Amino acid sequence: MPERDAAAASTAPSGGLGTAAARAVLARQARAELAALGARGQRLQLVDREPWRLGNLPAGRAREASVLMLFGPSDGAGIGVSDGAPIGPRDGTRAAAPVAETDVLILVRAATLRQHAGQPAFPGGRVDPEDRAAQDPAVEAALREAVEETGVDRAGIDVLGRLAPVPLPVSGHLVTPVLGWWREPSPVQVVDDAESSLVVRVPVRDLLDPSHRHLATVTRGTATHHTPAFTVPVGAESVTIWGFTGILLDRLLHRLGWELPWDATRRIPAPR
């Protein structure tokens, strides 16, 4: 069941959602709920849900890596309402939720890469030797990679905490998700065309829309596996977030109590 900090569960404004003040209240509420989760450093129970992708690593094989799950106040382009009520109800109701004014930073890997080509991802990568001098090497690696990949100004990011490392046997990495809040959003873009093809701020309301959710399937031999997936609009096109990134988003939104009921029987082959 989702665990929410009582101090973070303040009620959003009942009216005037279009005002700057109301948007600021919703953004502060979102930050508080993310911070409460980050402070506890909860394990998001990943291994038992996708055992084909996540699981224990052989002794001595793990290579440390981290990703930055960077949330922040949206640019105000749309308030995220449906039938006059904010998107993001809790427990099946239409109670106001902070997601109406929140987005998350996602990039799409270049199609020319040998691994994970064309796949959406959080900024991140391996913990390098220079990161070891930092107080928290995993956090330093996540921030450094985010700057290198998107050009984000790290001075405007508040680190809210880190979640339990996630073992990825397929790549031999032990990945630490780092939760961040974009206190002062800065311009972002593709820094290296050889590494990424797109950098985008995805509204959380689009991730929660039940019509955007499904299970992405991958068939290997006679076995078909699946992961949570989100197909969201990006300009005139769409991007499907699946795989490890989809798993992390799915678990985080569930733990926050932000997710809406969606059809988990809807299965679509993962993009190639």
Side-chain angles (χ1 to χ4, degrees), residues 4-11 28-36 90 98:
R4 299 177 55 228
D5 189 285
S10 59
T11 302
R28 286 196 298 270
Q29 184 182 339
R31 185 194 188 284
E33 296 192 11
L34 285 161
R90 313 201 190 274

Side-chain angles (χ1 to χ4, degrees), residues 22-115:
R23 291 198 297 269
V25 169
L26 291 174
R28 286 196 298 270
Q29 184 182 339
R31 185 194 188 284
E33 296 192 11
L34 285 161
L37 182 63
R40 291 191 295 269
Q42 296 185 54
R43 182 176 299 276
L44 296 187
Q45 297 302 321
L46 303 175
V47 175
D48 62 344
R49 293 284 293 274
E50 273 82 21
W52 70 277
R53 179 177 289 270
L54 311 177
N56 295 323
L57 290 169
R61 186 187 169 198
R63 293 174 291 179
E64 293 181 87
S66 59
V67 296
L68 180 64
M69 303 179 74
L70 182 58
F71 292 82
S74 71
D75 58 10
I79 193 64
V81 297
S82 176
D83 298 331
I87 290 178
R90 313 201 190 274
D91 302 325
T93 70
R94 279 190 174 275
V99 297
E101 288 301 321
T102 309
D103 58 32
V104 62
L105 186 64
I106 296 289
L107 59 83
V108 177
R109 302 294 184 193
T112 53
L113 292 176
R114 288 187 301 174
Q115 294 183 328

Side-chain angles (χ1 to χ4, degrees), residues 149-243:
E149 293 179 322
T150 72
V152 66
D153 182 359
R154 62 183 289 173
I157 298 174
D158 292 335
V159 175
L160 303 179
R162 47 182 287 179
L163 306 177
V166 183
L168 293 177
V170 67
S171 64
H173 286 100
L174 189 64
V175 184
T176 298
V178 175
L179 276 180
W181 179 258
W182 215 347
R183 171 175 35 84
E184 296 180 6
S186 55
V188 289
Q189 62 183 357
V190 172
V191 175
D192 185 349
D193 291 333
E195 294 289 334
S196 306
S197 62
L198 179 69
V199 174
V200 63
R201 295 170 61 174
V202 177
V204 173
R205 63 179 178 270
D206 286 342
L207 296 172
L208 298 181
D209 187 332
S211 68
H212 295 169
R213 302 207 57 181
H214 63 277
L215 292 178
T217 60
V218 176
T219 299
R220 295 179 177 176
T222 59
T224 297
H225 310 287
H226 60 267
T227 64
F230 308 77
T231 297
V232 296
V234 176
E237 301 182 2
S238 63
V239 169
T240 297
I241 303 170
W242 64 287

